[in-house]
Amino acid sequence: MAGIDRRTGKVIDNLGSAYQGVEVTLTTRLASRVMRREFGGGAIELLGRLMVPRLFFAWQQLVATAIDLWEPRFAVRRVLPTGSVEQIRAGTAGLRIDADFRPRAHLGDFTVERVVSFSLFFGGSRIKVAGA
């Protein structure tokens, strides 16, 4: 299966489409879609707040839960923070996500093709997904 890149209009492969799905999910504010109010990640609402350990853990959980709910091609195994303490304080926190890639999960076939790791970079009000 292939998808269409939302910025360039070019054809992308299934894994690229899944990464794009994660980006769309996490950058969509909850209740912002008229016909699907429950769609979104909830993580972007926490950006810009004082990042105490409890809030940081909740943020990691929101990201993992949003991916599990809205991008069936990934089953999250682990979410790890990236960057130094200074980078996190400066608001350039990132996450590395290890997940099972199930290319046909949206069709009901939950066979794992491989384990993938990808990174989320948060800066300003943007979230960027970079596959590894």
Side-chain angles (χ1 to χ4, degrees), residues 1 8 20 30 32 37 40 49 52 72 113 118:
M1 181 184 139
T8 65
Q20 182 174 267
L30 292 171
S32 65
R37 294 278 186 201
R49 294 181 60 188
V52 296
E113 182 179 281
F118 57 96

Side-chain angles (χ1 to χ4, degrees), residues 49-92:
R49 294 181 60 188
L50 179 62
M51 197 53 76
V52 296
R54 182 179 286 168
L55 185 64
F56 194 77
F57 178 73
W59 180 62
Q60 285 178 284
Q61 278 302 126
L62 279 170
V63 168
T65 302
I67 293 170
D68 281 341
L69 279 174
W70 298 110
E71 185 46 71
R73 293 173 285 185
F74 288 130
V76 175
R77 288 179 168 218
R78 183 171 49 181
V79 178
L80 299 170
T82 60
S84 66
V85 174
E86 291 78 26
Q87 289 173 319
I88 292 171
R89 285 184 185 144
T92 57

Side-chain angles (χ1 to χ4, degrees), residues 6-117:
R6 64 190 296 221
R7 290 184 184 86
T8 65
K10 294 181 181 177
V11 175
I12 54 176
D13 64 354
N14 195 11
L15 183 58
S17 177
Y19 289 147
Q20 182 174 267
V22 168
E23 184 177 343
V24 169
T25 299
L26 295 178
T27 57
T28 302
R29 292 185 179 275
L30 292 171
S32 65
R33 294 216 172 161
V34 175
M35 298 299 285
R36 186 165 272 192
R37 294 278 186 201
E38 69 275 9
F39 181 77
I44 201 161
E45 285 85 353
L46 298 180
L47 293 179
R49 294 181 60 188
L50 179 62
M51 197 53 76
V52 296
R54 182 179 286 168
L55 185 64
F56 194 77
F57 178 73
W59 180 62
Q60 285 178 284
Q61 278 302 126
L62 279 170
V63 168
T65 302
I67 293 170
D68 281 341
L69 279 174
W70 298 110
E71 185 46 71
R73 293 173 285 185
F74 288 130
V76 175
R77 288 179 168 218
R78 183 171 49 181
V79 178
L80 299 170
T82 60
S84 66
V85 174
E86 291 78 26
Q87 289 173 319
I88 292 171
R89 285 184 185 144
T92 57
L95 295 174
R96 191 184 94 214
I97 297 172
D98 298 331
D100 295 333
F101 178 56
R102 309 173 303 183
R104 291 168 299 283
H106 62 292
L107 301 173
D109 178 7
F110 298 104
T111 305
V112 176
E113 182 179 281
R114 65 180 186 242
V115 177
V116 296
S117 291

